[in-house]
Amino acid sequence: MSSIDAAELVLARCDELAGCTEEPGRLTRRFATPALREASELMAGWMRQAGMTVRRDAIGNVVGRREGGARTLLLGSHLDTVPDAGRFDGPLGVLVALAAIQGAQDLPFALEVYGFADEEGTRYATSYLASRVVAGRFDLALLERLDADGVSLADALRAFGGDPDGLSAARRAPDDLIGYCEVHIEQGPVLEARGTSLGVVTGIAGQSGVAMDFVGAAGHAGTVPMALRRDALAAAAEFVLAVEELGRSSDQLVATVGKLSVQPGAHNVIPGAATLSVDVRHLEDAVLMDAVERLHERATEIAQARRVGLRWQVRHAPAVACDPGLTELLAQAVGADAVRLPSGAGHDAAMMASICPVAMLFVRCADGISHHPDESVSVEDVAAAIDATTRFLRLVAPPGPLLQPDR
Ligand code: HGY
Ligand code: MN
Ligand code: MN
């Protein structure tokens, strides 16, 4: 099959996967839903067609394996999506990996392709949930966390066919791993601006997520004088603008309030509580931590001035550098003038870096659009990604000094 034909097939499969959705008319595929189950089964079938043996691990990842030697190179990306998603964020990487291995037979190592069950964390406000389990960094307390419908992660996982009591079996020991390589849509405008199909990722930005509430006092919108109110939404509004101002204050810092809900939520009731999510990112953890601390101080000031309560809970995923040795091979596979760029988005590679060397290949996307249904890639760029990944597989010799993890 020519690489253009292989790329056409990848795009057709991305279209087919886009039909696996929780919401008719828009693509939303969260962790442990029937839509994800359907997508995992499609992927498992395609893995079998590619000659792999397929298993599902305890967190619900679908994993294809092709034997070839004592050590194993991992490839993959995720199958879950954000709400109202594009069709390439995640599945493109799994499908390019499957296409690329067809062109690289008789390798001196085994290959495994992971379709991770949850990277986006949409359902349980997690980060890298599925690769976290594989890396052995999953906090079991998370099993008790509830989704918006009150379903615990443990119950959702059981219904999905996973095993909350057996998660440690999904963990990969670093000993036999050569590394992990992930292909992903760029999700930004850099490659398009540089006029190139592919880019080699240098590192992945750290990200902090804050779950927070302002808690005031609900009351009658017609009777409580303005001076006596403890309006939670007014506090949140002031804080949202502070988040934007902080994000604008430094070149590479970005800060977003992506969710805001108001209780009880009626036109004639003063808001008693406001629940927000804050997402803050930077390539340097120190800058990121400092930014989150400043936001916490600001939220505390606003809460005090407005006599409302504040709940503040932070989760942090540190910045990660891609492995120099594996990345050099990927750059060779792309070509002499390979563009290198950091990733502002989070990827499973960030979590996998805690157990093995990682490398990432970005594929140009139209207008830098992602986390949006208009996400788009060209067949030529996908063909280039397949070819580069195949060349990369051939360049990864049995582990020598270049590929020894330095830990
Ligand atoms: O939010 C992210 O960076 C990723 O797409 N989950
Ligand atoms: Mn995403
Ligand atoms: Mn992604």
Side-chain angles (χ1 to χ4, degrees), residues 77-78 89-90 119-120 182 184 187 346-347 371:
S77 193
H78 59 98
D89 174 2
E119 188 279 333
E120 303 286 5
E182 180 166 354
H184 203 283
Q187 307 183 277
H347 299 289
H371 284 185

Side-chain angles (χ1 to χ4, degrees), residues 159-182:
F160 190 55
D163 179 9
D165 303 318
L167 291 178
S168 58
R171 180 180 177 184
R172 295 300 298 248
D175 323 350
D176 75 321
L177 298 181
I178 297 171
Y180 170 78
C181 179
E182 180 166 354

Side-chain angles (χ1 to χ4, degrees), residues 72-161:
T72 304
L73 180 70
L74 308 178
L75 303 163
S77 193
H78 59 98
L79 297 179
D80 67 312
T81 76
V82 294
D84 201 10
R87 55 191 58 192
F88 304 107
D89 174 2
L92 180 72
V94 189
L95 290 166
V96 166
L98 271 189
I101 68 171
Q102 309 291 310
Q105 301 294 334
D106 301 320
L107 295 172
F109 47 82
L111 283 172
E112 288 190 25
V113 178
Y114 270 80
F116 289 111
D118 187 337
E119 188 279 333
E120 303 286 5
T122 307
R123 185 165 178 187
Y124 287 101
T126 49
S127 63
Y128 312 130
L129 169 61
S131 47
R132 194 174 283 282
V133 170
V134 174
R137 296 166 73 96
F138 181 79
D139 175 2
L140 289 173
L142 273 177
L143 288 170
E144 305 309 318
R145 190 173 282 185
L146 304 180
D147 71 1
D149 299 319
V151 179
S152 74
L153 203 163
D155 285 346
L157 180 55
R158 267 185 217 103
F160 190 55

